[in-house]
Every structure is written in structure tokens, then in C-alpha cells.
């Protein structure tokens, strides 16, 4: 194998280096080498370098000892061959975010209105003084006041600027947080390399060309390289090639390893030949970066995934990859090209639709916001119409004045004022704080969840977790401590309840046992001395193997000495552990030409392959099926029922006389074994798990254990955890039995059969990753329960990927998890602990509740402000709350309230209720009761103050004031009381389930307290010193106290509302449902078939556009028909009509799948010229061909 490396190194060193500081091959040589695959690569290596060892020597490295690891050498390599780092795309600048925030429609309308109002306030018609322009225009004569007319316009603009800056700042900090999170994930990735003869772990970014990296099952390769030594190595290259079949890698057939690919089986060593932007992944990333500079990205993580998908499509993506790409880019709707300019422009617009996280919550919110927006638009339009009508009737009818040219600017000023009032009503009605509240709440939760050991990779996973109804958890490491120790042994025909003394075991058996365990386990697995004095020894690598190595140490033997004698390169063949074999075997070639194979694996599987067993004298005797059954009953079952994992250690000799066996015929090789011993390995349950599971069950979440372990072991652990309770009629199944029950005679899986099993299934033992995926899919697709189940899954292995992807929320293990599992997951558990999942549930529910609290508060203000503005305008021809005041209220409502209410910390009481479910409305009946109850109180107070306030406080009335009249005390009191009521109602809004104590835990949330007091302070400043811009006058202490008292009344009124049972108020309907599947039109559902999930938020936004496109298509088809008749050439007509008729059938489809596009055979030839099919299924529109 690689043993002759040193001699190669000595010979070639002289002539390989062209000059002292130079390497024997350039960056370009290595890049071209890595672009070759399979046999081509081998030929190139042989032609250019002779063999891999020569290449190693040219790169000044040793296949055995690796690089020296000296800083100067590492720096030089980074300088010449580059660093292992792919620079991320530029973040959006603050100004870009400001520009995006300015795109908001309501803000644009306001800006326009404000600018018009500004312009008109400066315009002075010369003759207007002598003409009577009606009563309403009285007071304009006062010069000083007329001068101040511009202030309102300017103040509106100023508040727009405020809103924009706040929004942009929030977006910016969110972006920053994501980048921080991304870099943290990257920093935590470490990889094993050999430097200076020592095996060490270094951050992925520190890997350089010439490093010897150790690769194993589950790794995501961080750089390109060439295989030096491999055992049974299989790689999933689908991320680069789109081929889903695993590629077998060997030194003599295909040694090329590429970055970004996954190790699915086996282990080995590779020589790193290209890193960072020069690796294959890096080259593609660079190409994409250049192509995508002007694309918008929501978050860095998403960007990575999308790039990966484009990369998949770039090569020749398999169906899976296309589907994944479609699911992620599903938002970008594409159509068949329309042969018109409009079509092309629409195309562009469509492709640039915003990409959104697919989340239930966001779907409900978008739907709600659209509904509220429509209502707001209607109210504001009615307000404007009524104001204009009243003004016109009063001026031209009642006063009987003619329309005089000189008065036109004054009238226009009135109309602008009315328009501004209308727009302000709209601004207050539209809850633009909703997305802000969601963002803040999620971002805040994600930040805090880091402290609770949850590293969230996809934002919406956080909120989905709150709806979880089922958790499918692994056993090892999640429910148990993953600190394994051998506690019972059956060896030399005797069952020991504890590890026996070495003297008891016959010497021959002992030698076989120690040798078998030492060589037949990954060499990366070892037991290190404890970190702290008196602590437990550290287990590094696979924990089951650690237990066996610990057993060797307990027998007073040293496994390391044997490993030094037989290095990994000397192993003849290794069958690595995988979920199908459920065992691992290693073959050694002996000096006399014979072979010895050692195997270890699940006891009931391996014992079936044993035909001999070592006796008390160390001799082998025949092991009959009867003996096996005895052993299962007397040894394996008792061990398993105590929750021990049973492992069998066996061996087989292949005599030299029989010649070399066919190593690829595994079934022949892995038979006729001799059993050495059976060990029982204990993995204690984590102390905090039973309590966490009890909490889950109380919260309405079913915990299921899915494990590869023996059914008895699994059942025992499940009972210790509290998954199974004595007297329950829940079932435990083995993978085989599960498969038998869910498949029909043809071997196909039937949903009805799964539906019979899953509700009672609690433990699935001896399960393969496919079983896990089937179970998760079966539960998610089930229609047995009225609510669709929301499933969370934990996984650590490479083959858990599909199940993690399929689940609503995938949890990967941060410590034991492979890179592949982490890549497929939504949340990474940094401590691998089940109780952290319970914290994630708590945070998820908290997000949901925070949004509901915010909605309850926001909608109360909305209802009150809109009704006040509307009725006030209709009765007094002027809104009691001025535009600027409304904007301030809007700021309190939206930005501040979303900050205050969205940052409430979670409490354990959240786990005392059942999950809300996907279809539960955002606004419950109790919340409706609160919203309308408080609205009644607030409206009563406001209208009382508005119409009889001047009598109560003995001040001048502010009603019917002329256009530019000074602010009045009367209206200031109305405004101030309104704001005070909102402040106190914000405290009410903290509780949404009808709790009485609204102050409970208020001081745990300092953000809330500071915002309430801060708002109060600013309100004082606005009222006392705001003057003309805010239409306020300073108030006396008495008036202030009355305002505060009326505001405080909200809290008292809240107690009265809580006393009314919600069940009495049957007429109240909840609101904010998610879109049900059956509400979606058939053809839209067809379009969505390819997407993994229906994105409701996207649907709401798309619906209008779809109608618009349909209209366009119909018109265009009609035009085509007319043209066809006019020209009389049906073929040309058909050619021109073809794309649009296809797009009419599927108004909005994804071009990525050609199977959607139905062309008639007559136009098949022409369609080939219209679209060029790519193997990945992309259709690239070409220019129409002229015939």
C-alpha cells in the first residue's frame, strides 16, 4: 500500500523542485487534474507524476506523516495555492435596505400626498383675498397661521423617514445576525488531518494543499483531493453531478475526491490538491457569484442552498435535485415565453418575485394582512368620498357659492387635506408592523435559542416547532448519555454480570478478543486520558467502539500497542459498518498467506452467521441452532431487558490452501464465523430526559423512539424514559414487522395500513433509515386526525438525511451528527440533548403567542383609530386625530409594540396546553372579545371627549376649525387620552388566554418596561412642546391626570371583560385562518404539485398576478387566432400560438420540468426551435425562428 512512501520521497526530492522555494506542480496543474474523473484522472496522474506518492513528494508532504505543520510552510502554501475559504456574497448596504423600505406602497402614497400638501401651502394666489371662498376657508386670512401651513406636510415626510429608517435598521440587524450565525456554523466545522505524524482536528478553513486528510462515513469533504488509501469508500456526488447513485472510490479505479460531496460509507485518507475557490465547488460558486451579483438574497444560509441547487441544475440534476431546487426556488414563477414584449416584461417581473420562507405562520399573517388592508382601503376611500361630498354640498349647495377661479388653489388645498386624512386612515389600518413583529420575534428567539443549545439554521423552523405534535427521536446520545461501557460479558461459556478478571479468560480466547476489538474498529476511535483530574476517560469517535476499547483496557490489555504493530495501511480489507450490514469486519493477511477476518455487530444478526463458539478451554466447538436459541433466551434477552445493547464479537480463518476468497461476495465471506463473546453495553438514560418527556406528553406531543437497537433494549430504555408507561396499550415494533404490516401483497406501502399502526406506535426498533423516512412521511401524510400532524425528527447519521428533510423540523446532533445530517437539518442541537428539543417547542409556541399578543394590541388600535377618523371626518369634516398624530400612533403600534410584545420570554406554562395546529386561527374568540371589548371602551371615551369634552373641561371647542387654524386644547386632550389608552392597553395585551393578572412576569421583560416608559416620556414631549407640527397645545397637570386616569381605565375595563365567559359570545368569529387545501382551486394545486410545501404567503401575493396573466394570455391567444386567419398561413400561426397556448393550459408553471408542457404533435418540430431542452430539465427560451 503506502508503506514505500518514504523512499519515494527521498528519491524524487532532488529533481522535483525546480527551485528551493517552489513546489513540483503549479496551481493550474492541480486544477486541471481535478477536473478529470475516473480513469482519465488515473492516466493523467501516471503520465505527469508517475504515481500518487511522487505527487506527494512534489507537494513536499508524506502520505504517512502528513505536513510538518510549521506556520511558515502553511502560510507559503496558502499564498501559492490559496486558502480554503470561499468569500460570501456582499451583504446589502444600509442604503439599499432604506431604498427597499421606501418601496412600501402606503408610504409612497403618503410621500406624494405630503409633497402635494407642501407645494400647495407655499402657493399664494394673489386675488384670493377679496373673494369669498366659503366658511370653511375662513381663517386663512391670518398671515402667521397661513405661514405655518407647510408644517404638516413636512411633519408627515419626517415621520415617513422615521418609519423607513426603523424598518431598514431592523432588516440590517437581521442580515447581520444571519451572517454571524453562518460564520459561527463555519467556524465550528473541524476536520481530521495528519500533521507531523499526529492525527489532529483543525478548522476547515485551515486546510492547505498537501495536507493528508482522514475521511470517514458522514463527512462533507472540505476540499478536492486524491485518495491515498481507502476502505470500502462510497461517495454521494449528487451535489455536483446530480447523479444520486453512490460512487465507489478506489486507488486504482477512481481516486478523485471532490469538495462538497458526502462520504456515505467507509473511510480512507486523501491528499488535498485544491482548496477554496480553486476546488470544484469553489469554481462553481465563483461562476454563480459572478452571475448572481444583482440577485437579492434573504439570508446567507438560503443563499448557500440555492447556489447548491443551481449547481445541481447546472450539471445534469436528477429528479430529486430538481424537486429540491423547485421547492427552494418555487417562489420564482416562470411561464412559457409569450411572444410579445409585454410577455417578456411580465416574465422578468415574475422571475423577480420575492422569495419567502415557507411558513404556516407567515401564510396566516399574509392572508390576515391582505384582508385588513382591503378593509382599510375601503374605509379610507369612503372617508375621502364623504369628506369631499360634505365639503362640496356645504360650500356650493348650502352656502350657494359659485366655483371661482381664484378660489381653486384653496379648494385644492382642502381636497389634498381630505386625501391626506384618507391616506392616514389607510396607514393606520394596514398593519405593516406585522412582518416586523414576526422578524423581531423570530430573530430574538433564534438569538436566545442559541443559549438553550439550539442553533437554528432555518428561521421558520423555530415557529413550526411550536406546532409540533410528534417527535421521532433517536435513542443513543439523545435520550441516553452516549457514554457507553461494557457491563456484562458472556465469554468462554460463562455469563459474567460484571467485567471478569483477565485470569478467568483462556489465553487463546483473550488474544483473539483483544486483537479482534483493536483492529476491527475505526482507528480514529480512541480513549483519551480525562480532561480533569479524577474525571472519566474521554471517549473519542464511535461510542460503541469506545465501549469495546474500554473493555480491552479493563482486561488490563493495551489496544494501542496492537494498532502500532498493525497500522491502518496494513489492513487487507475493511467492510465498514452500515445500516444494511449492521456489522463491521476487518480482514488481516497473515505471513503464511492465510487470512483472518474479525467481525463485530448486532448479536442476534451475527449469531445467525456463527457455526462455532469458543469454549472454556479456548477451543472452538460446533454452535447449533438449538444452542443459538438457548443463548438468545438466557443471555441476550436478559441483557436487553435491562436496557443493554448486545454486541457479538466473532472471527473466521481463511486457510492459504483455499486460495484467495472472492472478497466482493459478502454473503459468502460473512458466514461460518466463530463466536468469541457477547458483551452487554450500557448507555445510561440522561437524567433530565424523563422529566422532559413528561412535559412533552402534557403539552400534547407524542414522543416516539426510532432506533437501530434490539427491541428489548429499546423497550427497556423507553420505559426508563417514560415513553412507555406500565398498563399502556402502545405498541413496539421491529423494522421487519413494521414493513410487513404497512405493505400490501405487491410490496407497496399503503397509507391506510400506516394509519392503522402509527397512532399507537411508540418504539420502532432495528429500524433502517428508510423505515424512519417511511414512518415520518406516513405520519405527515396521514388524514386520520382532524389536524395534520407536525413532526419533528432527530438524526445524526448520514442516512438520516431523507427523514430530516421530510420532517417539518429536522434536528441534527451537534456533537455526534455527521456533516450530511447537519446539512439536511433545520436546527442543530449543540449538546445532543433531548431536553433542548423541549426548549425549542417552548420558544416556538412563544413566537406564536407573541405574534397573537401583538395582533390583539394592534387590531384594537386599528379598529378605534379607523372608526374615530372615519366618524370624526364625516361629522366634523376633519379627522380628530391629525395625520402626524396618526403616524405617531402608528409608530407606537407597529414598531415599538412589536419590539415590546415580541420579546416576551417563554415560560413553562406554555407547555400546559395542546399544540395550536396548522389550521388554528391566529385570533381566537377570546382575543376577539378583548379586541372589541376594549374598542367599545376606547370609542366611548373618545366620542364623549370629542362631542362634550369642551363642556367637561370648560375649554373652547376644537370642532369645525378652519383650514390653518392653530391647534386646540380640546383636540390635544382627545389625542393624549387616545395614546394613554393605547399604553395601558399594551399591558392588557400581554395576556391572550383570558388570564386576570396582566402584570405577571412584567419585570422579566425589560424591553417591554423601557418601551412603555419611553413612549410615555416622548408623549409628554410631543404634547407639551410639539406645537404646530403635531397639532398640540401644552396641557395643565389636571388635564394630564384626567388623560392618564382615562387611560388607566383600560386596565379596570380589562378585568370586566375577563369576567365575561367567551362561551356566551357565540356571534364572535375567530380570524386569521391558514388557507385550507380544499380552498385552493384545482389548477393552482396542480401547479403546486412539484413543490414540497404549499407556500400560502406566496399564494396570496400570486393570486392577483395570476389573474392578470390569464387576462394577458387570453387576449394574446385571441390576437394570434385573428392574425392566423388574416395571414392564412396556419403553420406560422401555430408556431406563434404554441407557447401561449401551452402557457394558457398551465398559466403559471415551473419551466424546470418539461413534462408539464403539452405541445400538439403538429408543432413538435417548431417547438424544438422554440425551446432547447437541457438534460437537467431546464428549458432555455430561444429567439423565435423565422420561417
Amino acid at each position: 500500500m503506502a508503506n514505500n512512501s518514504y523512499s519515494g520521497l527521498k528519491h524524487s526530492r532532488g529533481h522535483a523542485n525546480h527551485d528551493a522555494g517552489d513546489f513540483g506542480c503549479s496551481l493550474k496543474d492541480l486544477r486541471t487534474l481535478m477536473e478529470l474523473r475516473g480513469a482519465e484522472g488515473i492516466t493523467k496522474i501516471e503520465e505527469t507524476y508517475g504515481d500518487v506518492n511522487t505527487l506527494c513528494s512534489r507537494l513536499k508532504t508524506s502520505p504517512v506523516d502528513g505536513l510538518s505543520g510549521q506556520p511558515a510552510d502553511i502560510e507559503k502554501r496558502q499564498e501559492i495555492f490559496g486558502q480554503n475559504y470561499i468569500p460570501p456574497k456582499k451583504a446589502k448596504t444600509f442604503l439599499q435596505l432604506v431604498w427597499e423600505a421606501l418601496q412600501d406602497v402606503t408610504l409612497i402614497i403618503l410621500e406624494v400626498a405630503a409633497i402635494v400638501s407642501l407645494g400647495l401651502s407655499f402657493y399664494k394666489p394673489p386675488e384670493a383675498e377679496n373673494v369669498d371662498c366659503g366658511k370653511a376657508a375662513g381663517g386663512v386670512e391670518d398671515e402667521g397661521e397661513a405661514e405655518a401651513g407647510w408644517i404638516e406636510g413636512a411633519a408627515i415626510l419626517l415621520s415617513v423617514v422615521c418609519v423607513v429608517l426603523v424598518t431598514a435598521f431592523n432588516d440590517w440587524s437581521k442580515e447581520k445576525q444571519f451572517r454571524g450565525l453562518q460564520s459561527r456554523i463555519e467556524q465550528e466545522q473541524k476536520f481530521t488531518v495528519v500533521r507531523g505524524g499526529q492525527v489532529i482536528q483543525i478548522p476547515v478553513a485551515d486546510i492547505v494543499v498537501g495536507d493528508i486528510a482522514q475521511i470517514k462515513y458522514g463527512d462533507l469533504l472540505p476540499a478536492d483531493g486524491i485518495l491515498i488509501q481507502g476502505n470500502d469508500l462510497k461517495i454521494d456526488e449528487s451535489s455536483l453531478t446530480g447523479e444520486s447513485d453512490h460512487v465507489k472510490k478506489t486507488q486504482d479505479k477512481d481516486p478523485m475526491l471532490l469538495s462538497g460531496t458526502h462520504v456515505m460509507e467507509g473511510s480512507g485518507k486523501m491528499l488535498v490538491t485544491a482548496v477554496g475557490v480553486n476546488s470544484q465547488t469553489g469554481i462553481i460558486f465563483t461562476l454563480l457569484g459572478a452571475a448572481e451579483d444583482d440577485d437579492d438574497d434573504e439570508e446567507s444560509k438560503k443563499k448557500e442552498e440555492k447556489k447548491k441547487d443551481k449547481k445541481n441544475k447546472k450539471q445534469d440534476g436528477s429528479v430529486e435535485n430538481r424537486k429540491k431546487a423547485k421547492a427552494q426556488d418555487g417562489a420564482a414563477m416562470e411561464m412559457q415565453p409569450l411572444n410579445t414584449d409585454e410577455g417578456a416584461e411580465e416574465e422578468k417581473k415574475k422571475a423577480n418575485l420575492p422569495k419567502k420562507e415557507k411558513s404556516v405562520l407567515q401564510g396566516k399573517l399574509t392572508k390576515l394582512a391582505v384582508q385588513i388592508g382591503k378593509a382599510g382601503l375601503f374605509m379610507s376611500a369612503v372617508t375621502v368620498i364623504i369628506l369631499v361630498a360634505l365639503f362640496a354640498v356645504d360650500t356650493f349647495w348650502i352656502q350657494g357659492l359659485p366655483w371661482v377661479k381664484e378660489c381653486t388653489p384653496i379648494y385644492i388645498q382642502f381636497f389634498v387635506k381630505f386625501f391626506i386624512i384618507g391616506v392616514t386612515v389607510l396607514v393606520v389600518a394596514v398593519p405593516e408592523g406585522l412582518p416586523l413583529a414576526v422578524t423581531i420575534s423570530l430573530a430574538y428567539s433564534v438569538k436566545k435559542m442559541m443559549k438553550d443549545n439550539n442553533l437554528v439554521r432555518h428561521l421558520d423552523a423555530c415557529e413550526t416547532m411550536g406546532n409540533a405534535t410528534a417527535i421521532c427521536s433517536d435513542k443513543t446520545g439523545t435520550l441516553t448519555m452516549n457514554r457507553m461501557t461494557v457491563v456484562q460479558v458472556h465469554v468462554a461459556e460463562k455469563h459474567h454480570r460484571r467485567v471478569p478478571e483477565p485470569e478467568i479468560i483462556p489465553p487463546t480466547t483473550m488474544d483473539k478478543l483483544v486483537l479482534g476489538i483493536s483492529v476491527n474498529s475505526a482507528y480514529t476511535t480512541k480513549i483519551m486520558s480525562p480532561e480533569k483530574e479524577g474525571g472519566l476517560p474521554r471517549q473519542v469517535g464511535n461510542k460503541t467502539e469506545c465501549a469495546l476499547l474500554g473493555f480491552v483496557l479493563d482486561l488490563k490489555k493495551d489496544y494501542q500497542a496492537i494498532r502500532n504493530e498493525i497500522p491502518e495501511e496494513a489492513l487487507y480489507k475493511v467492510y465498514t459498518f452500515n445500516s444494511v450490514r449492521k456489522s463491521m469486519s476487518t480482514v488481516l493477511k497473515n505471513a503464511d498467506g492465510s487470512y483472518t477476518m474479525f467481525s463485530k455487530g448486532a448479536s442476534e444478526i451475527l449469531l445467525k452467521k456463527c457455526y462455532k463458539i469458543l469454549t472454556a478451554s479456548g477451543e472452538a466447538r460446533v454452535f447449533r441452532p438449538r444452542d443459538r436459541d438457548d443463548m438468545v433466551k438466557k443471555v441476550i434477552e436478559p441483557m436487553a431487558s435491562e436496557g443493554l445493547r448486545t454486541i457479538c464479537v466473532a472471527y473466521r480463518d481463511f486457510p492459504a490452501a483455499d486460495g484467495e476468497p472472492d472478497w466482493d461476495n459478502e454473503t459468502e465471506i460473512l458466514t461460518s464465523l466463530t463466536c468469541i463473546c457477547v458483551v452487554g453495553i450500557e448507555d445510561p438514560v440522561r437524567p433530565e430526559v424523563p422529566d422532559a418527556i413528561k412535559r412533552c406528553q402534557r403539552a400534547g406531543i407524542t414522543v416516539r423512539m426510532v432506533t437501530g437497537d434490539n427491541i428489548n433494549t429499546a423497550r427497556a430504555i423507553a420505559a426508563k424514559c417514560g415513553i412507555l408507561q406500565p398498563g399502556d396499550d402502545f405498541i413496539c415494533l421491529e423494522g421487519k414487522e413494521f414493513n410487513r404490516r404497512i405493505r400490501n401483497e405487491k410490496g407497496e406501502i399503503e397509507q391506510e395500513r400506516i394509519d392503522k399502526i402509527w397512532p399507537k406506535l411508540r418504539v420502532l426498533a432495528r429500524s433502517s433509515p428508510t423505515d424512519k423516512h417511511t414512518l415520518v412521511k406516513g405520519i405527515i401524510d396521514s388524514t386520520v386526525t382532524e389536524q395534520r400532524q407536525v413532526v419533528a425528527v432527530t438524526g445524526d447519521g448520514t442516512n438520516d438525511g431523507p427523514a430530516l428533510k421530510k420532517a417539518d423540523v429536522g434536528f441534527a446532533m451537534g456533537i455526534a451528527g455527521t456533516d450530511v445530517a447537519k446539512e439536511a437539518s433545520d436546527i442543530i442541537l449543540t449538546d445532543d440533548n433531548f431536553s433542548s428539543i423541549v426548549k425549542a417547542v417552548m420558544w416556538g409556541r412563544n413566537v406564536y403567542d407573541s405574534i397573537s399578543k401583538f395582533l390583539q394590541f394592534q387590531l384594537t388600535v386599528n379598529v378605534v383609530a379607523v372608526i374615530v377618523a372615519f366618524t370624526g371626518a364625516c361629522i366634523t369634516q376633519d379627522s380628530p386625530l391629525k395625520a402626524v398624530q396618526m403616524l405617531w400612533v402608528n409608530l407606537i403600534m407597529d414598531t415599538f409594540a412589536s419590539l415590546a410584545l415580541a420579546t416576551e420570554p417563554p415560560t413553562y406554562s406554555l407547555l400546559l396546553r395542546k399544540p395550536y395546529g396548522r389550521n388554528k386561527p391566529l385570533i381566537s374568540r377570546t382575543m376577539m372579545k378583548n379586541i372589541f371589548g376594549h374598542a367599545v371602551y376606547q370609542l366611548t371615551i373618545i366620542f364623549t371627549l370629542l362631542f362634550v369634552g369642551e363642556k367637561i373641561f370648560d375649554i373652547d371647542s376644537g370642532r369645525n376649525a378652519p383650514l390653518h387654524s392653530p391647534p386646540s386644547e380640546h383636540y390635544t386632550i382627545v389625542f393624549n387620552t387616545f395614546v394613554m389608552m393605547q399604553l395601558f392597553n399594551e399591558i392588557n395585551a400581554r395576556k391572550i388566554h383570558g388570564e386576570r393578572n396582566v402584570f405577571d412576569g412584567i419585570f422579566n421583560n425589560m424591553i417591554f418596561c423601557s418601551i412603555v416608559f419611553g413612549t410615555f416620556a416622548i408623549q409628554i414631549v410631543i404634547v407639551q412642546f410639539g406645537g404646530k407640527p403635531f397639532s398640540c397645545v401644552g396641557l395643565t397637570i389636571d388635564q394630564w391626570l384626567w388623560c392618564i386616569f382615562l387611560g388607566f381605565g383600560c386596565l379596570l375595563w380589562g378585568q370586566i371583560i375577563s369576567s365575561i365567559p367567551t362561551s356566551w359570545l357565540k356571534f364572535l368569529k375567530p380570524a386569521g385562518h391558514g388557507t385550507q387545501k380544499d380552498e385552493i382551486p384545482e389548477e393552482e394545486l396542480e401547479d403546486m404539485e412539484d413543490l414540497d410545501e404549499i407556500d400560502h404567503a406566496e399564494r396570496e401575493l400570486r393570486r392577483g398576478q395570476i389573474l392578470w396573466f390569464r387576462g394577458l394570455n387570453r387576449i394574446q391567444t385571441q390576437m394570434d387566432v385573428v392574425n392566423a386567419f388574416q395571414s392564412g398561413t396556419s403553420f406560422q400561426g401555430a408556431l406563434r400560438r404554441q407557447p401561449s397556448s401551452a402557457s394558457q393550459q398551465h398559466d403559471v408553471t415551473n419551466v424546470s420540468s418539461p413534462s408539464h408542457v403539452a405541445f400538439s404533435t403538429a408543432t413538435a418540430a417548431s417547438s424544438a426551435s422554440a425551446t432547447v431542452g437541457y438534460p437537467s430539465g431546464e428549458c432555455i427560451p430561444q429567439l423565435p425562428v423565422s420561417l
Side-chain angles (χ1 to χ4, degrees), residues 577-711:
F577 179 89
N578 67 23
S579 53
V580 180
R581 288 189 188 121
K582 290 238 185 284
S583 67
M584 172 180 176
S585 307
T586 301
V587 182
L588 298 177
K589 186 171 184 176
N590 303 324
D592 60 358
S594 64
Y595 301 93
T596 306
M597 177 179 77
F598 291 100
S599 296
K600 67 167 192 290
S603 52
E604 64 267 44
I605 291 172
L606 221 51
L607 280 176
K608 284 180 185 153
K609 297 174 180 172
C610 291
Y611 82 127
K612 286 185 177 173
I613 187 165
L614 294 181
T615 61
S617 61
E619 301 296 314
R621 72 164 170 83
V622 179
F623 187 59
R624 297 187 190 83
R626 196 178 60 238
D627 301 332
R628 185 185 309 128
D629 296 341
D630 267 2
M631 192 153 178
V632 168
K633 276 201 186 69
K634 291 180 181 160
V635 179
I636 292 172
E637 282 181 3
M639 280 189 190
S641 61
E642 292 175 40
L644 303 184
R645 168 184 281 193
T646 56
I647 300 282
C648 173
V649 181
Y651 76 99
R652 177 183 178 183
D653 287 320
F654 298 91
D658 296 354
E660 182 159 356
D662 175 9
W663 298 113
D664 290 338
N665 186 351
E666 265 185 62
T667 40
E668 279 301 306
I669 299 288
L670 208 61
T671 51
S672 313
L673 302 176
T674 305
C675 172
I676 304 173
C677 72
V678 172
V679 296
I681 296 178
E682 183 185 43
D683 185 8
V685 171
R686 287 177 181 267
E688 62 278 7
V689 163
D691 193 36
I693 286 179
K694 203 174 279 149
R695 282 209 168 104
C696 278
Q697 288 162 342
R698 198 182 306 133
I701 302 168
T702 311
V703 182
R704 292 182 177 83
M705 183 205 287
V706 182
T707 175
D709 227 328
N710 173 317
I711 188 156

Side-chain angles (χ1 to χ4, degrees), residues 456-507:
V456 181
R457 290 178 72 236
H458 299 138
L459 252 193
D460 57 331
C462 173
E463 154 252 322
T464 312
M465 223 21 237
N467 282 327
T469 53
I471 299 174
C472 294
S473 171
D474 278 351
K475 173 178 77 72
T476 309
T478 313
L479 299 172
T480 59
M481 289 169 77
N482 204 8
R483 189 173 172 87
M484 307 220 184
T485 40
V486 172
V487 288
Q488 293 188 24
V489 190
H490 181 280
V491 66
E493 298 183 299
K494 189 158 188 257
H495 187 154
H496 302 272
R497 309 285 298 172
R498 61 165 69 91
V499 177
E501 292 300 317
E503 298 78 52
I504 300 175
I505 302 172

